[in-house]
Amino acid sequence: MIPVAEALERILSALSPTPAETVSLPEGWGRVLARPVLARVTQPPADVSAMDGYALRAADGAVGGRLRVIGSAPAGHPFGGTVGPGEAVRIFTGGAVPPGADSILLQEDATAGDGFVTPTEAVREGRHIRRAGLDFAAGGTVLEAGRRLTARDIGLAAAANHPWLHVHRRPRIGILATGDEIALPGEPIPPGGIVSSNAHALAALVRASGGEPVVLPIAADDRDAIAEAAAAAARCDLLLTTGGASVGEHDLVQSALGPQGFSLDFWKIAMRPGKPLIWGDLRGTPMLGLPGNPVSALVCAVIFLIPALRRLSGLPAGPVETRTALLGREMGANDRRQDYVRAEITRGPDGALTVSPLPLQDSSMLAALARAGALVIRPPHAPAAPAGTAVEIVELSSLGV
Ligand SMILES: Nc1nc2c(c(=O)[nH]1)N[C@H]1C(S)=C(S)[C@@H](COP(=O)(O)OP(=O)(O)OC[C@H]3O[C@@H](n4cnc5c(N)ncnc54)[C@H](O)[C@@H]3O)O[C@H]1N2
Ligand code: MOO
């Protein structure tokens, strides 16, 4: 059994980002930039007014002065002349500050009529002018490669005059559930069977992490069926299997795929749930073999697949983020496997997080997993911890899962 951190390192070091593709700006949200975005324009393109008012020389801005209004400069319609001494131009927010003017008089701070304007508040030089390039200048990098694009980033790329973006292709993740006993939700359930939940949960997790799930048909516990279904994943960036990872005679993933060219990197890790995790390569397609127990499959997906998806997407990748919370109840000492304990999470009025481990931790219990907002990480051989101990947690909702 290898430690969790080593397993994650081995997975990440075998993966590289997907190639770039070009998408239109609205399709860029949530995608990861493959190239930096350089501004194609300067913003603002010229000195512009930040307010509705009058453009004038600060020297003419004393209270009580009388200035002739010689024209107007709405946004997008620059005034063609120059502002001379004793003159002002009516200006609106976003309008270009005309040559000669160096300040803006707010319209609330003035009285106007008969083609003249009089300041009722003194004007300060440079006030209310947004200088050309205040936001960004043409040629400058506004967004770095390797960044997942937010709505704010899309706005910035648009302002920088980019109709197209170069982003990494969404990682395609083949998902293969195996087992004689499992049936699709809504389909007839075989005698002694159960409904398959793993492929659906994993597809949702892949989507939440920016990937494209490719859900393959369920393969029976039969070497040929598993080999045939896995072959369909040849065009995926990663193949995920669930079930058949353990040691029973019906746990066939490795023995079915070996003759198909599967080469194993590691099997079995010091983790609970998730001990029988498989990692290797099926003829050039990286393959992560998750245990069949639904909680084990999902916890392994959180700890290993989310970082793997980040690496494939072109993001900087490492372990999923953790934070600190206080135990709401005591926990016993741990053995040699790193434990990911399902726990309810509450936030106190002071903002502090408290986690209360659920009393039953069986790795078949999806209802408990859905209720748990957090996984408490218990390192190997962690001593017993009384209520109030600070512990490291993975907050599931913040990962979108
Ligand atoms: N003698 C041993 N037995 C087991 C060991 C061990 O070390 N020695 N490890 C246990 C651990 S830990 C786990 S986890 C499971 C993993 O087993 P498999 O990956 O081989 O999974 P299966 O046996 O195929 O299924 C386990 C369990 O999960 C259910 N299942 C399977 N697929 C789905 C699905 N798509 N949706 C919902 N539920 C699914 C299946 O019906 C079983 O109940 O092995 C332990 N055994
Ligand atoms: O470690 Mo298994 O993954 O018991 O559930």
Side-chain angles (χ1 to χ4, degrees):
M1 291 201 294
I2 65 169
V4 171
E6 183 187 334
L8 180 60
E9 260 170 43
R10 280 161 77 157
I11 290 171
L12 292 181
S13 66
L15 300 174
S16 42
T18 60
E21 63 182 6
T22 304
V23 298
S24 69
L25 198 53
E27 284 170 36
W29 178 84
R31 306 295 295 273
V32 178
L33 273 179
R35 289 193 211 159
V37 173
L38 273 59
R40 295 170 68 194
V41 292
T42 291
Q43 178 61 20
D47 291 358
V48 294
S49 177
M51 294 290 189
D52 299 322
Y54 298 85
L56 44 74
R57 293 159 182 264
D60 291 338
V63 173
R66 185 172 154 81
L67 307 174
R68 177 187 301 280
V69 179
I70 60 170
S72 110
H77 300 278
F79 174 66
T82 299
V83 177
E87 293 177 342
V89 161
R90 179 78 172 112
I91 199 163
F92 300 91
T93 305
V97 177
D102 60 17
S103 309
I104 304 296
L105 166 65
L106 293 193
Q107 69 185 50
E108 297 89 321
D109 294 344
T111 53
D114 299 334
F116 287 86
V117 63
T118 295
T120 55
E121 292 285 337
V123 164
R124 256 200 294 135
E125 186 172 343
R127 194 82 177 99
H128 304 309
I129 295 178
R130 293 183 181 137
R131 296 293 170 197
L134 171 73
D135 199 1
F136 51 80
T141 299
V142 290
L143 293 166
E144 302 282 355
R147 179 180 172 101
R148 196 188 288 289
L149 292 166
T150 63
R152 289 164 289 138
D153 296 339
I154 296 294
L156 176 54
N161 202 18
H162 286 271
W164 304 100
L165 293 168
H166 301 286
V167 294
H168 289 280
R169 179 167 57 60
R170 283 187 195 285
R172 269 197 292 271
I173 309 298
I175 301 175
L176 172 59
T178 67
D180 283 345
E181 74 283 23
I182 53 173
L184 286 172
E187 295 285 306
I189 302 172
I194 58 160
V195 180
S196 169
S197 56
N198 288 351
H200 297 82
L202 292 167
L205 181 144
V206 166
R207 225 180 266 288
S209 307
E212 183 191 323
V214 179
V215 178
L216 304 168
I218 292 173
D221 285 328
D222 168 291
R223 288 190 179 82
D224 292 340
I226 294 174
E228 193 183 324
R235 286 181 48 251
C236 290
D237 299 301
L238 188 147
L239 170 61
L240 269 186
T241 62
T242 81
S246 190
V247 294
E249 296 87 290
H250 303 281
D251 295 334
L252 299 174
V253 165
Q254 291 193 71
S255 61
L257 299 182
Q260 309 300 316
F262 177 69
S263 102
L264 180 72
D265 181 7
F266 66 76
W267 178 41
K268 293 190 180 167
I269 57 174
M271 171 168 170
R272 180 177 37 245
K275 180 175 63 172
L277 190 78
I278 300 169
W279 174 245
D281 175 289
L282 180 61
R283 288 196 306 269
T285 305
M287 196 197 97
L288 187 62
L290 302 174
N293 280 320
V295 176
S296 315
L298 275 170
V299 170
C300 285
V302 167
I303 302 305
F304 300 107
L305 180 61
I306 290 178
L309 278 158
R310 290 179 182 165
R311 167 61 52 88
L312 289 167
S313 305
L315 289 169
V320 288
E321 310 75 62
T322 59
R323 53 193 307 175
T324 302
L326 301 179
L327 279 182
R329 70 164 67 112
E330 64 177 5
M331 294 186 84
N334 193 17
D335 64 10
R336 67 193 178 121
R337 286 158 79 186
Q338 175 141 302
D339 212 344
Y340 290 85
V341 178
R342 281 71 80 197
E344 282 180 311
I345 183 166
T346 49
R347 187 181 291 277
D350 56 353
L353 295 175
T354 300
V355 280
S356 298
L358 295 167
L360 294 178
Q361 293 285 324
D362 190 276
S363 57
S364 66
M365 293 173 65
L366 272 178
L369 181 65
R371 200 162 82 235
L375 301 172
V376 178
I377 304 176
R378 297 284 285 152
H381 308 295
T389 305
V391 287
E392 199 182 0
I393 65 161
V394 175
E395 208 183 345
L396 295 170
S397 57
S398 69
L399 296 169
V401 298

